Amino acid sequence: MEHVHLAAEEDDLYSGYNDYNPTFDSEELDNDAGFQQAVRTSHGRRPPMTAKFPGTAIGGRALGTSFGSRMPMASSMGRPMTGAVQDGAARPMTAVRAAGYSSAMTRGSTFDPLGQSKGPAPPLEGKSEDTPDEKVKILEKKVNDLIEESCLAHGHGDLQLVSLPLAKEAGRKERALVRQREQSGNADHINLDLTYSVLFNLATQYANNDMYAEALNTYQVIVKNKMFSNAGRLKVNMANIHFKQKNYPKAIKLYRMALDQISNSHKEMRIKIMQNIGVVFIRMGQYSDAITSFEHIMSESPNIKTGFNLILCYYAIGDRERMKKAFQKLICVPLGIDEEDNHPHYKALAEKFIMTSAKLIAPAIEATFAAGFDWCVDMVKSSQYVELANDLEINKAITYLRQRDFKQAVETLKTFEKKDSRVKSAAATNLSFLYFLEKDYDQADRYADLAMTADRYNPAALINKGNTVFVKKDYEKAAEFYKEALRNDSSCTEALYNLGLTYKRLGRLEESLDCFLKLHAILRNSAQVMWQLANLFEMLEDPHQAIEWLMQLITVTPTDPQVLAKLGELYDSEGDKSQAFQYYQESFRYFPSNIDVIEWLGAYYIDTQFCEKAIQYFERKALETYKDIHRKFPENIECLRFLVRLCTDMGMKEVQDYATKLKKVEKMKEIREQRVKSAREGSARGTRREGSASSVSKQVNPVFVFSDSGHSSHGTSAKGERLSAKMRALPGSNEPYEASSQRDIDASYVDPLGAPMERPKTAAKKRNEDDDFADEELGDDLLPE
């Protein structure tokens, strides 16, 4: 007991722990006789804990195991006690060994009680994919992924190339999944929701790709399967397909079948189906049936679209009173939108329908369209859309313009000068534009200033102001107004186009080019923009770029003769005669009256030694020249004779028209000559009568009449009236002056081109040169006015 320390005698609870005891030396256990004996025999077995240590209470308290050195419990008399030393040998403490402690720690080994120094733990064993359940789950996931990818592809616009093939692949995988379940004996656990999703997506993708027969067959598979709940609603989709195919009776039948299968609790869906039915009746021209559907909707759940369709139906049947009532119902429809994000869009749509309805029915509900507009304005002013009243007034002015009533349009717009700034600016902008079209640039400038004063941020007003400055050739100032309009509205294409033209006039070609390139990015198919770009590259001496833009332009306007001629000109300047000839000939084919094109083609055939071909083009050139002369001088006989000759040589159908005109002009000339001759003879006879009458009476009032010879004559009042009548019969001031001297008129004609070549006589009848009009009666259309 000398090595046992009692708790009462312990000064330091942890003293001695750092002292090395040979008992803890595991390497010497081989030489420890007591340990070896305990290993080989049962010497080290512990007996049952029945013995008690004599003196378990020292100092009046029980001994605790955590106080000082452990008390040797009488477990085995032949075994060294834990924490005690016998015969100079000590045993290791069991608590330390259990924590992973070993004597190797004293030799530099790492303390690793969890065994982490052996490396990472082996990976978890994966589930086997060979089991039927796992195969089913993998196939289901693949099918769902394919459906999702197909829907996403449709959302991105990849219809034919991606969405439809993915939908078909999903269908194949789903069928494989069903077979897998049947083989594993789980046919009762088929996922009907997955099957429905696959078929519905496939039918939708068929319809999106205009494969209507396939879509209808797929929908039919779903509808006929009684295991799919609410599949009857898909008849609406089938009806929509028949509507696209213009099979309207079938569409109505399916809409009504779907309506019968939807309970009254789904009120909104029933209303939409009934609205579709009404639209189909409109397409069929059955307005009465459509009115029945729309009136029911307006009584149950009024909405803007249905109200507008109802007005269209009343307009189609011409019922004025019901048009008015329907318009009043339309403007009283509550917006009824809970989502604030959608409210502006819905209100804008409502305003559009109301404006369109007013413009449609205004000319029909009253005697005049102005009265109809006034009635609509009065109704709108008393509704929730009171701000539309001014817009309707402006549309009234625009309607006047469409009727060519410029005065009324201006008067209507001038009534807005005392209205609020927004309306005043809009009206002044329209007035400025109207005066600009009328080339009254001072008034246009005045109203442009008024519009800008009312609303400086109105881009249209700034553009009008810039235009009035542009026509005065103050290009720098015009550019400033256009740029200000673009600052207020960067998407204002008119301002950008005008700015490009202004820079072009100023010679700032690079800046002009930038403007039109930006405009082309906005208006991809604008022929005017592409023409300006080609023209700018030509001015910048870059013909290759100019040709490239013109080639893009002819894809938009392939029959524009001016563009084709410009392409020919550019290729000609580049020395490519064959390409130039191709485009010049195309231009001539679409517009055979361009003198420059005709001249180039004629010169080309002369250069290539095809003189016969060149003659045709020069004849055409001469023909167009004479046509131009005829337009300016329609009674020129020589011009008409040349036209008749050329049209005859060229075998043109116009020859008959020009021949008829020539006959009329020649006949009118002959009539004028006869009138002049008869007037001269009547004047001479009147002079002789006047002389005899003057000898009888000297008290008549003289009437002075100037004859063709310039002499004045005196006569009685009656004779004066007759002479006045003869004077009125003379040619008017707008007719050619005929000399009064008696001379023979040489009406012979000498062809400046020489005698024509003898042409084979076809069915022409030889005319009697001396008797062209012998048997013809002179019609009223040949007499002068």
Side-chain angles (χ1 to χ4, degrees):
M1 294 294 292
E2 58 182 354
H3 297 291
V4 177
H5 302 280
L6 299 178
E9 300 175 356
E10 190 67 53
D11 296 329
D12 186 4
L13 294 176
Y14 300 103
S15 63
Y17 280 153
N18 293 329
D19 297 339
Y20 176 74
N21 194 320
T23 306
F24 302 144
D25 190 359
S26 61
E27 295 181 0
E28 297 297 330
L29 290 177
D30 293 337
N31 300 324
D32 189 345
F35 178 77
Q36 294 297 329
Q37 184 181 3
V39 170
R40 289 193 296 269
T41 65
S42 62
H43 177 73
R45 294 180 181 175
R46 293 190 177 188
M49 296 183 64
T50 56
K52 294 183 180 179
F53 187 78
T56 56
I58 300 177
R61 66 173 181 174
L63 256 148
T65 57
S66 62
F67 287 93
S69 301
R70 293 174 180 268
M71 291 292 293
M73 303 298 290
S75 57
S76 176
M77 299 307 296
R79 179 182 174 186
M81 292 178 291
T82 304
V85 179
Q86 287 185 345
D87 301 330
R91 292 289 302 277
M93 297 192 332
T94 55
V96 176
R97 183 176 297 279
Y101 177 83
S102 67
S103 62
M105 292 179 61
T106 61
R107 302 291 185 267
S109 299
T110 304
F111 179 71
D112 185 20
L114 299 179
Q116 295 178 351
S117 62
K118 297 179 182 179
L124 297 175
E125 293 183 3
K127 293 184 178 180
S128 175
E129 297 182 0
D130 295 335
T131 61
D133 291 341
E134 289 300 321
K135 289 182 178 179
V136 166
K137 290 180 180 179
I138 292 172
L139 276 176
E140 281 187 351
K141 186 177 185 305
K142 287 182 179 179
V143 172
N144 283 315
D145 291 343
L146 287 170
I147 294 173
E148 184 177 355
E149 291 175 10
S150 176
C151 294
L152 290 174
H154 172 256
H156 295 141
D158 300 329
L159 298 179
Q160 269 190 331
L161 299 178
V162 180
S163 61
L164 182 58
L166 288 173
K168 291 180 178 179
E169 182 64 21
R172 287 191 289 269
K173 294 287 185 184
E174 195 274 334
R175 288 192 294 272
L177 174 62
V178 172
R179 288 195 297 270
Q180 183 71 28
R181 287 186 182 276
E182 291 175 350
Q183 291 174 4
S184 62
N186 294 327
D188 296 338
H189 296 84
I190 293 176
N191 191 342
L192 290 177
D193 292 338
L194 185 63
T195 304
Y196 181 89
S197 300
V198 168
L199 292 173
F200 179 73
N201 181 59
L202 182 60
T204 303
Q205 301 306 331
Y206 276 136
N208 292 334
N209 286 275
D210 298 336
M211 301 172 67
Y212 297 130
E214 292 84 352
L216 288 172
N217 290 335
T218 309
Y219 279 128
Q220 196 69 27
V221 171
I222 301 174
V223 171
K224 287 185 176 180
N225 193 332
K226 302 300 182 182
M227 300 179 70
F228 295 136
S229 60
N230 298 323
R233 297 182 181 181
L234 295 182
K235 291 181 179 178
V236 175
N237 297 28
M238 298 172 69
N240 291 341
I241 294 176
H242 285 296
F243 179 81
K244 292 180 180 178
Q245 293 179 321
K246 298 183 179 181
N247 188 0
Y248 300 130
K250 186 70 174 179
I252 290 178
K253 179 181 178 181
L254 287 169
Y255 279 135
R256 285 176 170 169
M257 291 173 66
L259 196 64
D260 294 338
Q261 296 182 5
I262 297 175
S263 63
N264 293 329
S265 59
H266 298 87
K267 182 179 179 181
E268 185 176 354
M269 184 175 291
R270 290 179 61 86
I271 290 296
K272 289 182 178 180
I273 295 175
M274 292 185 68
Q275 188 169 349
N276 288 358
I277 293 173
V279 172
V280 177
F281 277 129
I282 290 178
R283 292 295 183 91
M284 297 174 66
Q286 299 179 14
Y287 300 112
S288 299
D289 295 328
I291 288 171
T292 302
S293 297
F294 293 142
E295 284 181 341
H296 176 75
I297 296 172
M298 291 299 289
S299 62
E300 294 290 329
S301 178
N303 62 80
I304 291 293
K305 290 184 179 179
T306 303
F308 178 72
N309 289 335
L310 186 58
I311 290 175
L312 292 181
C313 292
Y314 289 144
Y315 179 82
I317 63 176
D319 194 330
R320 292 187 177 187
E321 293 303 321
R322 296 171 84 180
M323 271 190 270
K324 289 183 177 181
K325 292 180 181 178
F327 185 78
Q328 291 173 333
K329 289 182 180 179
L330 179 65
I331 60 179
C332 292
V333 171
L335 293 177
I337 301 297
D338 297 330
E339 298 81 2
E340 294 182 358
D341 294 338
N342 293 333
H343 186 276
H345 171 72
Y346 187 83
K347 187 174 181 180
L349 184 65
E351 291 177 352
K352 176 185 176 183
F353 282 144
I354 291 171
M355 291 289 293
T356 306
S357 300
K359 290 188 287 186
L360 177 69
I361 68 173
I365 58 177
E366 299 292 345
T368 63
F369 88 92
F373 260 109
D374 293 338
W375 182 88
C376 293
V377 169
D378 293 337
M379 292 297 103
V380 170
K381 284 181 178 178
S382 60
S383 71
Q384 57 185 327
Y385 303 98
V386 62
E387 66 275 5
L388 291 181
N390 293 323
D391 294 334
L392 281 173
E393 289 281 2
I394 292 178
N395 274 280
K396 178 181 175 182
I398 294 173
T399 307
Y400 276 125
L401 284 178
R402 288 176 178 160
Q403 296 180 352
R404 307 290 182 181
D405 194 343
F406 179 78
K407 183 179 178 181
Q408 286 291 337
V410 171
E411 289 180 0
T412 304
L413 291 172
K414 284 183 178 180
T415 60
F416 291 94
E417 292 185 13
K418 297 182 181 180
K419 297 289 181 70
D420 61 83
S421 59
R422 184 188 69 85
V423 179
K424 184 192 297 184
S425 179
T429 299
N430 288 335
L431 282 169
S432 176
F433 180 69
L434 291 176
Y435 282 120
F436 187 86
L437 293 179
E438 291 290 315
K439 297 184 179 180
D440 188 349
Y441 300 126
D442 293 333
Q443 286 287 356
D445 186 66
R446 172 176 171 268
Y447 279 102
D449 288 334
L450 183 62
M452 289 167 55
T453 303
D455 184 6
R456 184 72 186 189
Y457 297 99
N458 183 353
L462 292 165
I463 292 172
N464 286 344
K465 179 64 177 178
N467 292 344
T468 59
V469 177
F470 185 92
V471 295
K472 297 175 183 177
K473 299 185 179 180
D474 190 352
Y475 302 124
E476 292 286 354
K477 194 172 181 181
E480 292 301 322
F481 284 114
Y482 296 142
K483 286 190 282 188
E484 186 177 354
L486 284 170
R487 285 193 294 270
N488 293 339
D489 183 6
S490 59
S491 63
C492 185
T493 55
E494 295 87 352
L496 191 57
Y497 188 93
N498 291 354
L499 183 61
L501 290 180
T502 305
Y503 283 143
K504 188 177 176 183
R505 290 291 182 93
L506 290 170
R508 295 153 64 174
L509 301 182
E510 293 292 344
E511 294 176 74
S512 177
L513 188 64
D514 289 340
C515 290
F516 285 112
L517 286 173
K518 290 177 183 177
L519 199 57
H520 178 68
I522 302 172
L523 307 174
R524 303 295 299 181
N525 295 322
S526 173
Q528 293 87 349
V529 174
M530 286 188 274
W531 173 263
Q532 292 293 340
L533 286 167
N535 184 247
L536 283 168
F537 277 114
E538 183 184 7
M539 296 172 69
L540 289 169
E541 298 180 356
D542 190 350
H544 296 290
Q545 282 290 333
I547 289 173
E548 183 177 342
W549 281 105
L550 289 174
M551 293 297 289
Q552 291 187 37
L553 178 54
I554 62 174
T555 61
V556 179
T557 57
T559 59
D560 191 325
Q562 191 67 25
V563 177
L564 295 168
K566 176 57 72 174
L567 272 170
E569 179 185 339
L570 290 173
Y571 276 116
D572 186 32
S573 64
E574 290 293 299
D576 192 343
K577 294 287 186 182
S578 60
Q579 285 286 351
F581 171 73
Q582 176 186 345
Y583 287 109
Y584 270 125
Q585 198 162 30
E586 282 293 300
S587 176
F588 176 78
R589 185 163 68 90
Y590 291 117
F591 183 60
S593 301
N594 191 326
I595 298 296
D596 295 332
V597 173
I598 295 170
E599 185 177 356
W600 190 93
L601 289 170
Y604 174 80
Y605 279 117
I606 289 177
D607 292 340
T608 54
Q609 304 299 319
F610 287 99
C611 298
E612 295 82 1
K613 288 280 188 182
I615 290 173
Q616 296 177 8
Y617 288 101
F618 286 128
E619 284 180 340
R620 170 66 70 171
K621 180 181 177 180
L623 178 65
E624 296 303 326
T625 304
Y626 282 120
K627 283 183 178 179
D628 187 55
I629 295 171
H630 176 64
R631 281 191 291 271
K632 295 178 181 177
F633 306 100
E635 294 182 358
N636 189 290
I637 294 177
E638 290 189 3
C639 179
L640 283 169
R641 286 174 178 169
F642 275 115
L643 285 170
V644 171
R645 168 70 183 278
L646 285 170
C647 291
T648 302
D649 292 344
M650 298 171 69
M652 299 179 67
K653 296 180 180 179
E654 298 172 76
V655 63
Q656 191 61 39
D657 295 335
Y658 289 121
T660 303
K661 289 181 180 180
L662 179 60
K663 288 180 181 180
K664 289 182 178 180
V665 171
E666 288 177 341
K667 190 66 175 179
M668 288 173 66
K669 182 180 178 181
E670 182 181 349
I671 292 170
R672 289 194 200 103
E673 291 174 356
Q674 291 177 356
R675 285 181 177 176
V676 170
K677 183 178 180 181
S678 60
R680 189 178 299 113
E681 292 174 353
S683 176
R685 286 194 300 268
T687 303
R688 289 194 298 270
R689 289 183 189 139
E690 185 180 336
S692 60
S694 61
S695 61
V696 176
S697 177
K698 301 290 185 179
Q699 304 300 322
V700 295
N701 295 322
V703 177
F704 297 94
V705 179
F706 292 93
S707 66
D708 290 344
S709 59
H711 301 142
S712 62
S713 303
H714 300 279
T716 61
S717 175
K719 291 183 174 64
E721 290 177 0
R722 287 197 296 272
L723 292 174
S724 298
K726 293 181 181 298
M727 284 296 295
R728 286 194 295 271
L730 291 177
S733 60
N734 60 341
E735 296 179 8
Y737 174 76
E738 298 290 343
S740 59
S741 59
Q742 296 290 335
R743 62 183 179 88
D744 295 329
I745 299 175
D746 185 11
S748 61
Y749 164 69
V750 178
D751 194 338
L753 300 178
M757 296 176 61
E758 188 69 22
R759 294 179 61 84
K761 301 295 188 296
T762 55
K765 179 181 178 181
K766 185 176 181 180
R767 295 181 302 173
N768 187 353
E769 296 289 343
D770 298 331
D771 195 23
D772 281 346
F773 297 90
D775 297 328
E776 294 182 10
E777 292 184 3
L778 192 62
D780 294 336
D781 56 335
L782 294 180
L783 294 175
E785 297 179 358

